[in-house]
């Protein structure tokens, strides 16, 4: 498969899964009754956005596996920057939460969007810029 | 690491996209190698050398690395 097709497939999958994720989060948060009984349907609905997260992660894994070595190098650099910064932020915030009771609790849910957001910024403005993976 | 890829490509009259197609890498990757932002792996360097029918050391100049080793 040509590099252009690999990039096109990656963009299509990530954008599609990203749109599905946003739609699923919005739909589930408005439709699911948090105080309702724990039924199979409710569990399924609560897990629905997670399917799109798995799809996005799978699309990224397939892209990193198939893309040429230079693009892979820059993409991994951007991803590592995003992961390390998010790990540091999550660790610092988690410690502060432990020691300060009044500090607002940051749900673990936010880790994925933060990583993806930072990855986007690193890919667009970091060493990976102009590599076609932004 | 410096390289003569841009000069060789010009000599053959190929665009970055055309060279990338022959090497199965993207145009952006050809650009990254030409501008020294990325040093290719040994298999890719051999592929480039074979394509231009030149030895690797005639295309890639590792004198900086060699000085560091000495």
């Amino acid at each position: 498969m040509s590099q252009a097709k690999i990039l096109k497939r990656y963009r299509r999958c990530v954008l599609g899964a990203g749109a599905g994720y946003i739609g699923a989060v919005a739909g589930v948060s408005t439709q699911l009754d948090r105080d309702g009984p724990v039924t199979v349907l409710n569990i399924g609905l609560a897990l629905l956005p997670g399917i799109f997260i798995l799809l996005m992660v799978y699309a990224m894994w397939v892209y990193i596996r198939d893309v040429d070595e230079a693009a892979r190098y820059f993409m991994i650099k951007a991803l590592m920057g995003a992961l390390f910064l998010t790990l540091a932020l999550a660790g610092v915030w988690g410690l502060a939460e432990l020691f300060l009771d009044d500090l607002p609790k940051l749900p673990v849910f936010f880790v994925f969007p933060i990583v993806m957001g930072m990855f986007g910024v690193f890919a667009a403005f970091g060493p990976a810029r102009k590599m076609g993976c932004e | 690491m410096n390289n003569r890829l841009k000069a060789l490509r010009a000599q053959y009259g190929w665009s970055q996209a055309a060279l990338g197609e022959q090497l199965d890498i993207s145009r952006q990757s050809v650009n990254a190698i030409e501008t020294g932002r990325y040093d290719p792996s040994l298999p890719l360097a051999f592929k480039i050398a074979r394509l231009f029918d030149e030895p690797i050391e005639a295309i890639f100049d590792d004198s900086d690395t060699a000085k560091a080793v000495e």
Side-chain angles (χ1 to χ4, degrees), chain A residues 119-133:
Chain A
F119 171 59
V121 171
F122 276 100
F125 303 109
R129 71 188 179 283
K130 295 179 183 170
M131 285 308 295
C133 53

Side-chain angles (χ1 to χ4, degrees), chain A residues 1-4 7 68-71 73-74 126-132, chain B residues 20 24-30 32-33 37-44:
Chain A
M1 190 186 283
S2 73
Q3 294 301 316
L7 180 61
D68 72 61
E69 59 179 58
Y73 167 79
F74 287 110
R129 71 188 179 283
K130 295 179 183 170
M131 285 308 295
Chain B
D24 194 26
I25 61 175
S26 65
R27 183 195 60 76
Q28 291 90 339
S29 297
V30 171
I33 295 169
R37 287 200 298 139
Y38 176 74
D39 290 331
S41 68
L42 206 48
L44 182 56

Side-chain angles (χ1 to χ4, degrees), chain A residues 18-124:
Chain A
Y21 172 72
I22 292 167
V25 169
V28 171
S29 55
T30 53
Q31 296 302 314
L32 193 66
D33 179 13
R34 289 184 184 196
D35 300 322
V38 181
T39 61
V40 176
L41 178 69
N42 284 351
I43 293 171
L45 277 174
L47 291 175
L48 188 64
I51 293 169
F52 294 101
I53 289 179
L54 291 175
L55 280 174
M56 274 188 271
V57 171
Y58 178 72
M60 287 169 74
W61 179 75
V62 168
Y63 179 71
I64 288 170
R65 185 194 64 191
D66 294 345
V67 80
D68 72 61
E69 59 179 58
R72 184 184 303 128
Y73 167 79
F74 287 110
M75 186 168 178
I76 286 175
K77 258 184 135 173
L79 202 49
M80 280 175 69
L83 284 171
F84 289 155
L85 203 55
T86 308
L87 280 174
L89 276 175
V92 170
W93 191 268
L95 277 173
E97 274 186 13
L98 275 178
F99 298 129
L100 302 167
D101 287 340
D102 292 338
L103 202 70
K105 304 286 180 248
L106 186 69
V108 179
F109 152 81
F110 282 112
V111 167
F112 184 74
I114 289 172
V115 169
M116 292 303 279
M118 282 191 186
F119 171 59
V121 171
F122 276 100

